[in-house]
Amino acid sequence: MAKEERLYSVKDAAYATRLTLNSFRTKVSKLGIKGTKKGASVFYTKAQLQDIYDNKPSKAVRTLPVKKARAKKSTTRRIERKERAKR
């Protein structure tokens, strides 16, 4: 039978990663790391704590495609307005 992995409570996990409780919770939510829940309390494994300490997100973060700026189509009205402004 495999040895069970030790689970750390939020308070212990924050202490282990050298963070305050508030900054630990913020960091966990930004990295997207999900702990195991038992009732109202959440527990984290040693591997998850190492990822939190190293700032590794739980999944590869995809960057959104960048929209390229396009030149507006010049209409006949805009051309006429520009010509009037030049006069």
Side-chain angles (χ1 to χ4, degrees):
M1 189 168 183
K3 184 179 176 184
E4 284 190 35
E5 195 169 13
R6 180 170 179 219
L7 296 174
Y8 296 87
S9 67
V10 176
K11 200 172 186 180
D12 294 336
Y15 181 79
T17 54
R18 299 178 181 170
L19 295 167
T20 61
L21 197 58
N22 279 342
S23 57
F24 176 79
R25 289 178 192 262
T26 303
K27 198 171 195 181
V28 165
S29 67
K30 282 185 180 178
L31 295 174
I33 296 174
K34 306 273 185 189
T36 53
K37 278 189 148 189
K38 289 185 182 174
S41 52
V42 183
F43 296 93
Y44 298 93
T45 62
K46 187 94 170 180
Q48 286 175 322
L49 295 183
Q50 190 63 43
D51 289 345
I52 293 165
Y53 187 76
D54 295 337
N55 285 326
K56 288 184 185 175
S58 63
K59 296 178 184 175
V61 179
R62 291 189 211 165
T63 57
L64 295 173
V66 178
K67 291 184 180 179
K68 295 180 182 177
R70 294 183 185 173
K72 291 182 180 178
K73 293 181 180 178
S74 59
T75 60
T76 54
R77 271 181 145 177
R78 285 187 57 219
I79 294 169
E80 289 173 5
R81 236 184 285 139
K82 283 183 180 178
E83 287 176 6
R84 272 191 243 136
K86 286 180 184 177
R87 293 181 202 170

